[in-house]
Amino acid sequence: MSARSQHLLHNLTQYTQGIAPFRPVASGQLVRVVGLTLEASGCRAPVGSLCAIETMQGELVAEVIGFDDELLYLMPIDELRGVLPGARVIPLGEQSGLNVGMSLLGRVLDGSGQPLDGLGPLNTDQKASRHSPAMNPLARRPIHEPLDVGVRAINAMLTVGKGQRMGLFAGSGVGKSVLLGMMTRGTTADIIVVGLVGERGREVKEFIEEILGPEGRARSVVVAAPADTSPLMRLRACETSTRIAEYFRDLGYDVLLLMDSLTRYAQAQREIALAVGEPPATKGYPPSVFAKLPRLVERAGNGGPGQGSITAFYTVLTEGDDQQDPIADASRAILDGHIVLSRALADSGHYPAIDIEASISRVAPMVISDLHLECMRKVKQVYSLYQQNKDLISIGAYAQGSDPRIDNAIRLQPVMNAFLRQTMRDAISFADSELMLTQLAAQCKV
């Protein structure tokens, strides 16, 4: 071979090495349907990618959630209908990016990031990857500044810092959604992202029109996946909400992320995991559920230098008001504090029904002054003293004058209840909350 031929062959080898081998996408066929799980053979697709399944009504899009040898396990994103045995399955490749941009403000999206509000397409050409890389914990800025959420009981007694992740623990019907709505109207955060996952469809519209209101909606992005959507759509809604919040945080905004609820996210993952044969572990929840929870929660928080923050509130449903529910217990361990809503307080007309004895903000000592912390301690001690002796007082077994501290707690109880109550339409600033707490603490004797 001549020198010129060797030179040409060398150049040709360099070019061919840079070209990825062409792999034709082979379509397969549907061989089995069990519940919401579809099994396909004859095609190859990675986990997390999409496939189109031919049905009597057109095409059904499904996501690959697992495989077993040559079988692919898929789950439909929309309603499963019109599927026939042997239907053609066509791999579509990786999922497309998520539409992002300032035009998302005021819009209502579904779990895939598509408009739900009938206001036309999203006027943006910006795309973001659906899956962001995990942030180095050493690259985050520390939490050192409080966030005003407009709720006096939280601002004063359970102060939240910018970048903190809080859990809102409650059973059904004790005012979780109303409390979230109060935060959207009263917070000083720049942008609000609300994820309504697994709730009743009626509640979604009520939250947007009545609780959020026009003023709150103007600076909010709502992602909704009601209870009648597929588990994949519910799972996507939580991840889409978090990804949108990350986008605004990276632009330098302080974001308030309200996720209702983390329990529905866990239940959706449980449905998917059990469908592909993952064995249940703790009270019917497979191990993958407890692996996914921290991955979702850890995406919130402060960004690096020049970035903003994501302060997140995740509601956690406690079935039968059981605080030891597996999801509640796992969530409590990975969050920076928890706010417990009491059914007894709600039944007595005390709203927001925050049980300040059972609630805690682990970040509060780092973001408030020593005076605020001391006032908080005094008020909580006097409030707890009354609760500990409440039964004796109510049946008349306590004789007034027996203990000056209890006498003071009885005298201050109406004042404390008024301090902790707040109407749905009110917004109390952090400065006003701190001033009222100081005045109340001056009357406490501990």
Side-chain angles (χ1 to χ4, degrees):
M1 184 181 294
S2 66
R4 184 171 180 274
S5 298
Q6 288 180 345
H7 179 69
L8 289 173
L9 181 62
H10 176 70
N11 289 341
L12 182 62
T13 304
Q14 283 184 318
Y15 287 126
T16 55
Q17 285 177 347
I19 301 174
F22 172 72
R23 293 193 178 111
V25 178
S27 62
Q29 63 176 359
L30 205 61
V31 296
R32 191 166 183 254
V33 177
V34 180
L36 291 178
T37 308
L38 312 176
E39 296 181 11
S41 66
C43 58
R44 296 168 64 87
V47 174
S49 64
L50 300 178
C51 292
I53 302 169
E54 293 182 347
T55 70
M56 296 179 66
Q57 283 81 30
E59 285 190 345
L60 174 70
V61 178
E63 183 177 321
V64 180
I65 58 174
F67 61 85
D68 181 5
D69 198 10
E70 296 298 322
L71 284 178
L72 283 184
Y73 295 137
L74 304 105
M75 186 167 284
I77 293 175
D78 296 316
E79 185 179 359
L80 182 61
R81 182 179 294 177
V83 177
L84 296 171
R88 193 177 176 212
V89 179
I90 308 165
L92 299 177
E94 296 295 326
Q95 300 181 29
S96 61
L98 189 67
N99 291 313
V100 292
M102 299 305 294
S103 61
L104 265 61
L105 296 179
R107 301 302 300 269
V108 183
L109 314 176
D110 65 10
S112 296
Q114 299 303 314
L116 265 182
D117 48 18
L119 299 180
L122 301 172
N123 296 319
T124 178
D125 55 1
Q126 299 182 60
K127 293 276 189 180
S129 170
R130 289 184 177 274
H131 305 286
S132 60
M135 181 177 286
N136 186 335
L138 299 182
R140 293 183 185 271
R141 290 177 289 106
I143 300 173
H144 55 74
E145 186 180 352
L147 176 71
D148 187 352
V149 295
V151 180
R152 182 168 50 213
I154 298 177
N155 283 341
M157 302 298 296
L158 303 163
T159 309
V160 176
K162 288 183 179 179
Q164 185 174 356
R165 286 80 57 95
M166 288 285 281
L168 194 58
F169 291 72
S172 57
V174 293
K176 296 186 304 299
S177 298
V178 173
L179 181 56
L180 294 180
M182 291 170 67
M183 292 183 196
T184 61
R185 284 191 297 271
T187 184
T188 55
D190 302 316
I191 290 172
I192 303 158
V193 180
V194 183
L196 301 175
V197 181
E199 299 298 323
R200 293 181 289 273
R202 174 187 60 81
E203 284 188 336
V204 172
K205 188 169 185 180
E206 284 181 0
F207 184 91
I208 294 169
E209 294 184 355
E210 298 179 18
I211 298 177
L212 192 60
E215 185 178 342
R217 186 173 174 180
R219 56 174 176 154
S220 302
V221 183
V222 178
V223 180
D228 61 345
T229 56
S230 69
L232 272 177
M233 191 62 82
R234 281 176 267 146
L235 210 66
R236 280 184 167 198
C238 293
E239 294 166 355
T240 297
S241 305
T242 306
R243 188 66 189 93
I244 292 172
E246 287 176 321
Y247 167 78
F248 287 116
R249 177 193 63 190
D250 294 345
L251 292 180
Y253 292 102
D254 289 325
V255 182
L256 178 64
L257 173 62
L258 305 176
M259 188 81 72
D260 188 13
S261 71
L262 197 62
T263 305
R264 305 299 188 202
Y265 176 80
Q267 290 173 346
Q269 174 60 24
R270 177 175 63 179
E271 291 180 45
I272 295 170
L274 293 177
V276 296
E278 186 178 351
T282 307
K283 292 189 178 179
Y285 286 96
S288 63
V289 172
F290 301 99
K292 269 188 169 289
L293 283 175
R295 280 205 292 268
L296 179 73
V297 170
E298 282 296 322
R299 290 168 62 182
N302 280 337
Q307 295 181 336
S309 64
I310 300 176
T311 308
F313 282 82
Y314 300 94
T315 67
V316 180
L317 298 173
T318 51
E319 298 179 7
D321 297 328
D322 178 16
Q323 298 297 324
Q324 304 308 316
D325 175 81
I327 300 304
D329 199 41
S331 302
R332 197 180 294 109
I334 59 177
L335 293 168
D336 302 321
H338 52 272
I339 297 172
V340 178
L341 299 187
S342 165
R343 188 171 299 278
L345 289 174
D347 290 343
S348 66
H350 185 292
Y351 289 102
I354 298 174
D355 185 347
I356 62 169
E357 285 186 291
S359 306
I360 189 171
S361 171
R362 296 180 182 138
V363 176
M366 294 182 281
V367 297
I368 59 176
S369 65
D370 292 339
L371 176 61
H372 187 159
L373 188 62
E374 180 63 18
C375 292
M376 182 194 300
R377 184 188 64 81
K378 283 184 178 181
V379 171
K380 196 167 186 178
Q381 282 184 339
V382 174
Y383 182 86
S384 298
L385 184 63
Y386 178 86
Q387 299 301 321
Q388 292 164 11
N389 295 275
K390 184 177 180 179
D391 292 339
L392 292 176
I393 297 168
S394 61
I395 65 174
Y398 172 76
Q400 190 172 0
S402 302
D403 189 333
R405 296 182 309 138
I406 297 178
D407 292 341
N408 186 51
I410 295 172
R411 180 179 61 83
L412 288 178
Q413 191 61 24
V415 182
M416 287 191 173
N417 284 336
F419 174 76
L420 296 173
R421 286 193 187 110
Q422 187 174 328
T423 62
M424 178 177 150
R425 300 294 175 188
D426 287 343
I428 312 296
S429 70
F430 183 83
D432 289 343
S433 301
E434 189 176 14
L435 177 61
M436 295 176 191
L437 176 68
T438 305
Q439 294 171 347
L440 179 58
Q443 306 176 55
C444 296
K445 299 175 183 177
V446 294

